[in-house]
């Protein structure tokens, strides 16, 4: 019963703060209460839904290399970047990043309140792109995030913290 009460309070908080983040018209999916991983929450989301992530350290499959496509979603940590960490666990032999936002039409995606660390960029051809996060096209909004100790190696490395490719033009606020 206490979990439902906290869940209800967090859902009400997301709805109340919607004017600062944009419209919240859909469901609120809680991670890890409703979906075990951040990727699971995004995959379960529909246009206009919010994915609310509880404080904690998130790592491993489903909590790194998180792909956000063209579905408009608000991905938000309930306690901010100091309390919600994505540990990518990336290395030269095993590259991983926090987020990959993909799609030319991505302008209704918001990522808010995460620390992304230990990302290691993936090699594409002879170049490396985005240790912490990569945006392929679109105009996502990235707020209140800390991209710390991520790497994009070599002379052709782009964006240890964030790489923007394919005409991506994200809006960054408080990062």
């Amino acid at each position: 019963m206490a979990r439902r009460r906290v869940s209800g309070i967090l859902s009400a908080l997301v709805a109340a703060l919607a004017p600062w983040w944009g419209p919240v018209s859909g469901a609120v999916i809680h991670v890890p209460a409703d979906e075990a991983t951040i990727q699971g929450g995004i995959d379960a989301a529909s246009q206009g839904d919010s994915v609310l992530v509880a404080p904690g350290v998130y790592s491993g499959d489903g909590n790194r290399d998180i792909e956000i496509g063209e579905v408009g979603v608000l991905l938000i940590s309930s306690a901010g970047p100091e309390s919600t960490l994505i540990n990518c666990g990336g290395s030269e032999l095993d590259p991983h990043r926090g987020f990959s936002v993909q799609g030319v039409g991505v302008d209704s995606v918001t990522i808010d309140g995460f620390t992304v660390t230990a990302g290691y960029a993936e090699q594409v051809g002879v170049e490396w792109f985005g240790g912490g996060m990569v945006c392929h096209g679109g105009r996502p909004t990235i707020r209140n995030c800390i991209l710390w100790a991520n790497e994009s190696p070599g002379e052709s490395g782009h964006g240890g913290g964030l790489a923007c490719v394919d005409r991506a033009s994200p809006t960054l606020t408080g990062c």
Side-chain angles (χ1 to χ4, degrees), residues 41-163:
I42 291 168
D43 292 347
S46 297
Q47 184 74 28
D49 287 350
S50 299
V51 178
L52 185 61
V53 181
V57 176
Y58 293 84
S59 61
D61 292 342
N63 292 313
R64 63 181 181 198
D65 302 317
I66 300 162
E67 293 188 14
I68 303 174
E70 294 192 29
V71 172
V73 65
L74 169 61
L75 175 64
I76 183 168
S77 117
S78 66
E82 295 80 13
S83 300
T84 312
L85 180 104
I86 296 172
N87 183 344
C88 303
S91 68
E92 182 176 2
L93 297 176
D94 190 23
H96 295 285
R97 67 171 54 97
F99 297 100
S100 178
V101 181
Q102 302 189 18
V104 175
V106 178
D107 60 355
S108 58
V109 169
T110 299
I111 299 170
D112 192 333
F114 295 88
T115 293
V116 179
T117 191
Y120 198 94
E122 180 181 12
Q123 186 174 9
V124 178
V126 297
E127 301 192 52
W128 302 78
F129 291 101
M133 185 181 302
V134 65
C135 295
H136 294 275
R139 298 180 311 272
T141 299
I142 303 163
R143 290 192 192 127
N144 306 314
C145 288
I146 299 169
L147 305 172
W148 177 70
N150 299 290
E151 190 172 349
S152 186
E155 292 178 20
S156 62
H158 301 283
L162 170 65

